[in-house]
Amino acid sequence: MSDASIPPSPNEVADLKAQVKLLERQLKRQKIARANAEWFLESYSSDAYSATQALRKALHESKKRERELIFLNRSASHLKTSDSGASFIFSAIESAVEFSDAFCGLAFITKAGKVVQGDDNKIWQVENGWVEASDLAKVMLDELPLSVKEDYSQWCVNIVERPDNHEEAYVLHFMQNLGNGEQAWLALLTKNSELDEEMLYVLDANKHYLQFGIGYRSSKHEIKHHKAALSSMEKDQRYLQEKLITADKMAMLGQLAAGIAHEINNPIGYVRSNTSVAGDIFKDYQSALSEIKVLCEDAGGEIEARYLALENTYSLKDSAEAISEMFEESSEGIERIIDIVKALRGFSYPSGDKRVAINVAEAISSALRITNNLHKYKNKVIFTPPETDIEVLGNAGQIQQVLVNLLTNAIYATDEGKCIKFDVESLEGEAVITLQDEGKGMSEEVIGKMFTPFFTTKPPGDGTGLGMSISLTIIEEHGGQFEVTSEIDKGTTIKVRLPLA
């Protein structure tokens, strides 16, 4: 009889089964490790991209505020030193050309449609100063409606062809009445057919500067208004300085948060993977221990007695249950760390570009559904949708995040049986979302800190302290603002104001 016809022995079959089971466990662990590695790689790539975008945005905002600050300093200086109406008008066009990065500018004063001050054949260039350039001046002059008598409310824009290079460009022009039938005209010619948002901001500030200056020189009575305007500009200057410092700090904090998130992600990926694999292996040990117990009970006699003695000595059953609980608690702790890391990433990169019309009542109803398990057995939540739709323009996911954060905090602060009320109304071009609770209330000190990153009144483990700081960033990016009033032991009212769509 050949060896091939001899059936395998029970020991060989058992060895083969053990090897198959070992291979299955190894394959399962490899799959888990691979899934965790893919998760970590995806998270790392997302962090890298988001960090780059956040850094670019912070750098752009910092440069923009720096230019605005320099422009306000220059404008305030001109208002203090110029001794005639014409001088500050010409200084206005010089500043406008320099800070808007236009190709050249034109300025003069007319009366009854004729030039009375300035030269409508001379243009201003940053490199050359005032120079004769009749062809470029004519291109701008042809676009000015000199017969118009009413002030411009905004800069006007016309498309022209530059005579020097025959390329498309823009003429931006503005007129301000000086009184006594005189009008001040300012015009700029851009370098190409692109209009930068920063250019428009500078020109708008230039318009206000011109209006303030003209009002100051119109009569002695207007001097007080000029001082108020000058004081306002100085306040704007201080405000911009504070905003610049704050922006730099927040940019640094955002990068710090992103860095912390990245550094935590590295080890947590390994811990998450190893804990999951170790938990599966221990389940195999538990199964093996149960089978050994059954074998010993079947064998009976001294073998069963010795097993029971070992089980009593080392508390095998209790120890196994305790270790299983430890694995579960460790897994929960790891997932909580991952949630905190996600919150840190959200604080670092909260901006979203996709803006759509959002029905506020539907967003509130959705937030109530999301938090239903938190309040349905604890608080009475009241919300009556308005009769007409109220919509805001924004990122739907971010607005939802803010509403859930506010509602979650209200539920946490409000004792069982007490009420929470949501309301929304349209008021003076804004959607006003109001959340009132009958909770514990907050002191002035807590209200002052509630939007500070990592500040929380919750016990350790119940909150990250990032929810309200993220919410504030989201609402400000949507052009809105928070209003908070609170009284200890009586409750808190939070209003969120957002521009209507």
Side-chain angles (χ1 to χ4, degrees):
M1 183 180 294
S2 65
D3 293 340
S5 62
I6 300 175
S9 67
N11 288 339
E12 290 175 336
V13 172
D15 287 343
L16 287 173
K17 288 183 178 179
Q19 290 177 12
V20 169
K21 192 170 183 180
L22 176 62
L23 289 173
E24 288 176 346
R25 286 200 301 270
Q26 289 177 345
L27 181 60
K28 186 176 182 181
R29 289 196 290 270
Q30 288 174 357
K31 287 182 177 179
I32 294 173
R34 179 180 176 181
N36 278 284
E38 290 174 349
W39 167 83
F40 175 74
L41 181 60
E42 181 180 352
S43 175
Y44 177 80
S45 300
S46 176
D47 282 349
Y49 175 77
S50 299
T52 302
Q53 296 299 104
L55 188 58
R56 286 178 178 173
K57 182 178 178 182
L59 182 61
H60 174 75
E61 290 297 321
S62 180
K63 288 182 178 179
K64 178 180 175 181
R65 289 193 176 96
E66 183 180 7
R67 286 179 62 82
E68 292 169 6
L69 189 59
I70 295 171
F71 176 78
L72 283 173
N73 277 326
R74 175 79 63 84
S75 300
S77 175
H78 285 161
L79 279 172
K80 291 178 180 178
T81 58
S82 58
D83 55 4
S84 69
S87 64
F88 77 83
I89 290 170
F90 296 131
S91 70
I93 197 66
E94 292 171 7
S95 295
V97 172
E98 179 179 351
F99 286 94
S100 68
D101 198 30
F103 179 70
C104 64
L106 178 69
F108 53 85
I109 297 173
T110 61
K111 189 170 185 176
K114 295 183 179 181
V115 177
V116 294
Q117 290 192 63
D119 189 338
D120 57 4
N121 282 322
K122 283 188 175 182
I123 63 168
W124 167 266
Q125 293 180 306
V126 176
E127 301 84 359
N128 305 315
W130 288 100
V131 295
E132 192 88 19
S134 57
D135 54 345
L136 290 170
K138 185 177 185 304
V139 168
M140 291 184 279
L141 193 63
D142 288 345
E143 302 300 323
L144 304 182
L146 298 182
S147 60
V148 171
K149 302 301 181 185
E150 294 183 2
D151 294 341
Y152 284 22
S153 60
Q154 299 291 339
W155 284 78
C156 294
V157 182
N158 295 54
I159 301 176
V160 298
E161 181 182 295
R162 279 178 46 176
D164 54 341
N165 58 16
H166 302 289
E167 292 182 358
E168 191 176 87
Y170 289 108
V171 170
L172 299 98
H173 50 96
F174 179 77
M175 186 273 280
Q176 177 70 37
N177 277 302
L178 302 177
N180 299 322
E182 293 183 341
Q183 294 87 31
W185 292 88
L186 280 71
L188 294 96
L189 182 65
T190 61
K191 294 178 179 178
N192 49 44
S193 58
E194 294 182 3
L195 281 176
D196 189 271
E197 180 183 352
E198 187 174 349
M199 169 186 277
L200 299 177
Y201 179 87
V202 168
L203 293 182
D204 190 56
N206 191 275
K207 176 192 71 175
H208 291 299
Y209 155 62
L210 188 64
Q211 291 170 339
F212 288 147
I214 291 170
Y216 166 64
R217 289 169 177 80
S218 62
S219 67
K220 290 183 179 180
H221 177 71
E222 295 295 327
I223 292 178
K224 291 182 180 179
H225 295 281
H226 163 68
K227 288 182 177 178
L230 186 59
S231 174
S232 176
M233 291 185 72
E234 289 173 346
K235 287 180 181 178
D236 287 344
Q237 176 184 338
R238 290 193 295 271
Y239 173 75
L240 280 171
Q241 288 174 329
E242 292 172 1
K243 289 288 284 184
L244 183 60
I245 293 171
T246 301
D248 288 341
K249 286 182 178 179
M250 292 304 291
M252 291 175 62
L253 183 57
Q255 294 303 306
L256 176 62
I260 292 173
H262 171 69
E263 291 302 321
I264 294 176
N265 257 343
N266 282 328
I268 205 63
Y270 308 135
V271 175
R272 186 191 204 190
S273 176
N274 291 343
T275 302
S276 177
V277 173
D280 286 342
I281 293 174
F282 185 71
K283 288 179 182 178
D284 292 341
Y285 276 100
Q286 281 184 296
S287 299
L289 186 63
S290 298
E291 292 180 12
I292 291 172
K293 181 179 179 180
V294 171
L295 290 173
C296 292
E297 290 174 348
D298 290 344
E302 184 179 352
I303 293 177
E304 182 179 10
R306 290 185 64 183
Y307 173 82
L308 292 175
L310 288 171
E311 186 177 44
N312 291 331
T313 301
Y314 296 104
S315 302
L316 296 179
K317 182 179 180 181
D318 293 339
S319 297
E321 291 176 354
I323 293 173
S324 293
E325 290 178 2
M326 290 178 191
F327 276 119
E328 290 178 3
E329 291 172 357
S330 297
S331 296
E332 290 175 2
I334 290 168
E335 295 306 317
R336 174 159 178 76
I337 293 172
I338 290 171
D339 289 340
I340 293 172
V341 170
K342 288 180 180 177
L344 281 171
R345 289 207 302 268
F347 173 67
S348 304
Y349 329 114
S351 61
D353 295 326
K354 188 177 181 181
R355 300 291 171 96
V356 297
I358 303 167
N359 187 309
V360 180
E362 291 180 359
I364 293 174
S365 298
S366 179
L368 291 173
R369 288 194 297 272
I370 291 172
T371 58
N372 184 57
N373 287 333
L374 297 178
H375 61 72
K376 66 178 178 180
Y377 300 121
K378 182 174 183 281
N379 306 111
K380 181 180 180 182
V381 180
I382 302 171
F383 172 58
T384 304
E387 294 181 358
T388 58
D389 289 344
I390 298 176
E391 293 185 335
V392 298
L393 193 65
N395 182 295
Q398 291 180 350
I399 296 299
Q400 188 75 74
Q401 180 181 355
V402 171
L403 295 175
V404 170
N405 280 342
L406 295 179
L407 189 52
T408 302
N409 288 343
I411 294 167
Y412 178 85
T414 305
D415 291 335
E416 185 175 348
K418 293 191 175 183
C419 288
I420 298 171
K421 184 179 179 182
F422 247 128
D423 188 30
V424 59
E425 60 180 334
S426 176
L427 188 63
E428 297 180 354
E430 292 181 322
V432 182
I433 305 168
T434 304
L435 179 64
Q436 294 177 292
D437 66 54
E438 297 177 347
K440 301 178 178 66
M442 296 181 289
S443 65
E444 290 294 329
E445 181 182 2
V446 172
I447 292 175
K449 294 179 179 179
M450 66 182 292
F451 296 109
T452 303
F454 306 108
F455 174 79
T456 179
T457 57
K458 297 176 182 177
D462 285 352
T464 62
L466 290 172
M468 290 307 296
S469 59
I470 293 172
S471 297
L472 176 63
T473 303
I474 291 172
I475 294 303
E476 287 184 342
E477 286 193 345
H478 283 72
Q481 60 182 356
F482 276 99
E483 294 178 7
V484 183
T485 57
S486 187
E487 191 172 348
I488 297 295
D489 296 329
K490 290 190 176 180
T492 299
T493 299
I494 297 180
K495 291 182 182 290
V496 180
R497 296 180 178 272
L498 290 167
L500 291 172

